[in-house]
Amino acid sequence: MELVPGNTLITATPQEGRELAITMARKSIGAIQPDADVRATLRPGYATNAEALTMAGHVVAVEFATIAAANNYWRGQPS
Amino acid sequence: MELVPGNTLITATPQEGRELAITMARKSIGAIQPDADVRATLRPGYATNAEALTMAGHVVAVEFATIAAANNYWRGQPS
Amino acid sequence: MELVPGNTLITATPQEGRELAITMARKSIGAIQPDADVRATLRPGYATNAEALTMAGHVVAVEFATIAAANNYWRGQPS
Amino acid sequence: MELVPGNTLITATPQEGRELAITMARKSIGAIQPDADVRATLRPGYATNAEALTMAGHVVAVEFATIAAANNYWRGQPS
Amino acid sequence: MELVPGNTLITATPQEGRELAITMARKSIGAIQPDADVRATLRPGYATNAEALTMAGHVVAVEFATIAAANNYWRGQPS
Amino acid sequence: MELVPGNTLITATPQEGRELAITMARKSIGAIQPDADVRATLRPGYATNAEALTMAGHVVAVEFATIAAANNYWRGQPS
């Protein structure tokens, strides 16, 4: 199973870094629970629960911290 | 969907960095649950629950840690 | 709304850094739930619940980690 | 009990780093609850609970942050 | 209220750093809930609940990460 | 009470670092709840609860992040 799309943490922009964070968070859930039917069953209860969404947002923030450090915070990019 | 306003982590001041942290936390929830009606339905229960608010504050703190590092903690700004 | 008092992460001492961490944690809750009456209503239930207090203490620890790094851990201060 | 496969945090790629993060997270659960029968009993309830899966994904993100730093974020690898 | 005993993060040893982490975690709870009677009332329920203890241990780990970085991980101390 | 065995964060290998992380996490629980009988009473309920185990694994991951940084990620060790 591909856990890191493109097998790199380097992205062109913060936006792409953020998208990678979301994807990586989702893929690790997929690795822990590989059955797509189970994940589909769980999704409505999860996506309509504020605390569960906040927990997911927390994981995205942690993944993004790593990706941002990997990219030296995209400091050199043109703004 | 725009996940990082301005597509940069660099801000002029800590205050702006904090505002960016709040916005980024909100936008990742929006990416996970794109249906604005669902988010609007969930908001009252969430915004009147102390533990849910603390969890959200935790996510803001994690996002801010990344933004603050990106900005070298705004050490060079005039105080 | 002022989210970072003084608009700087730099403080003279660890004690002041800790106070800033507590203030920043509180202010981000205020940004998420701007209604002071709601926050006042929630406070008793929250402040008398050990898990909620521990969660709040966790947020303070995360905010402080950022502030401490910003201040190079106050290594150069006279002890 | 082997807690870190190969006894190193260094991996060739982000994908392998991510796999190591998942393995290390699982092995520390094994160290805390060494009885494999108990872990097998717990697994269905855990793997079909969205919040439990998100919590597990959070741990993977934290383990990966350490592994990514150990590998200097694989910045020098060919893309 | 004194939040950082000695107003420094520098300690002679990891053991003292760990003790400081526990003290700082406790003092921030004291700042959030200043009423010692309330804290005393909450303590038995908290100290006999495994999840609450684990949450507290998590906060100690986060505080210690900051203190350890402040002390350059006590790398230069004689072993 | 000894909170850091050997009073150092330096270990020879990642495996030993991981063992130290588990021990340090346990010892801080012991410092918060010093009564060994209480801890023994709590253990079965905790060790057979998947979310509690995941929370404990999270604490180990945070402790290990500090220990790994202290050891420069054991980058120089022979593999």
Side-chain angles (χ1 to χ4, degrees), chain E:
Chain E
M1 176 187 286
E2 182 188 58
L3 295 168
V4 184
N7 206 7
T8 178
L9 301 181
I10 308 306
T11 71
T13 63
Q15 170 77 20
E16 290 177 27
R18 200 76 178 167
E19 292 166 358
L20 178 59
I22 293 171
T23 303
M24 285 174 60
R26 285 188 172 142
K27 284 181 177 290
S28 68
I29 300 295
I32 299 165
Q33 174 47 274
D35 186 326
D37 288 343
V38 172
R39 294 199 309 272
T41 300
L42 297 178
R43 187 166 166 80
Y46 152 85
T48 58
N49 178 295
E51 293 201 16
L53 287 170
T54 304
M55 288 167 69
H58 196 151
V59 179
V60 170
V62 174
E63 302 284 16
F64 183 71
T66 302
I67 294 164
N71 287 279
N72 286 317
Y73 305 100
W74 303 275
R75 281 190 196 118
Q77 65 160 182
S79 64

Side-chain angles (χ1 to χ4, degrees), chain A residues 2-74:
Chain A
E2 183 189 59
L3 294 169
V4 184
N7 207 4
T8 179
L9 301 181
I10 307 306
T11 70
T13 64
Q15 170 77 20
E16 290 178 26
R18 200 77 177 167
E19 292 166 357
L20 178 59
I22 293 171
T23 301
M24 284 174 60
R26 285 188 172 142
K27 284 180 178 291
S28 68
I29 300 296
I32 300 165
Q33 174 46 276
D35 186 328
D37 289 342
V38 171
R39 294 199 309 272
T41 300
L42 296 179
R43 188 165 165 79
Y46 152 85
T48 58
N49 178 295
E51 292 201 17
L53 287 170
T54 304
M55 288 168 69
H58 196 150
V59 179
V60 169
V62 175
E63 303 283 18
F64 183 70
T66 302
I67 294 165
N71 286 279
N72 286 316
Y73 305 99
W74 301 276

Side-chain angles (χ1 to χ4, degrees), chain C residues 2-72:
Chain C
E2 183 188 57
L3 295 169
V4 184
N7 206 7
T8 179
L9 300 181
I10 307 306
T11 71
T13 63
Q15 170 75 21
E16 290 178 26
R18 201 76 177 167
E19 292 166 358
L20 178 58
I22 294 171
T23 302
M24 284 174 61
R26 285 187 172 143
K27 285 181 177 289
S28 68
I29 300 295
I32 299 165
Q33 174 46 275
D35 187 326
D37 288 343
V38 171
R39 294 200 309 272
T41 300
L42 298 177
R43 188 166 166 80
Y46 153 85
T48 58
N49 178 295
E51 293 201 16
L53 287 170
T54 304
M55 288 167 70
H58 196 150
V59 179
V60 170
V62 174
E63 302 284 16
F64 183 71
T66 302
I67 294 165
N71 287 279
N72 285 317

Side-chain angles (χ1 to χ4, degrees), chain F residues 3-14:
Chain F
L3 295 169
V4 184
N7 206 5
T8 179
L9 301 180
I10 307 305
T11 71
T13 63

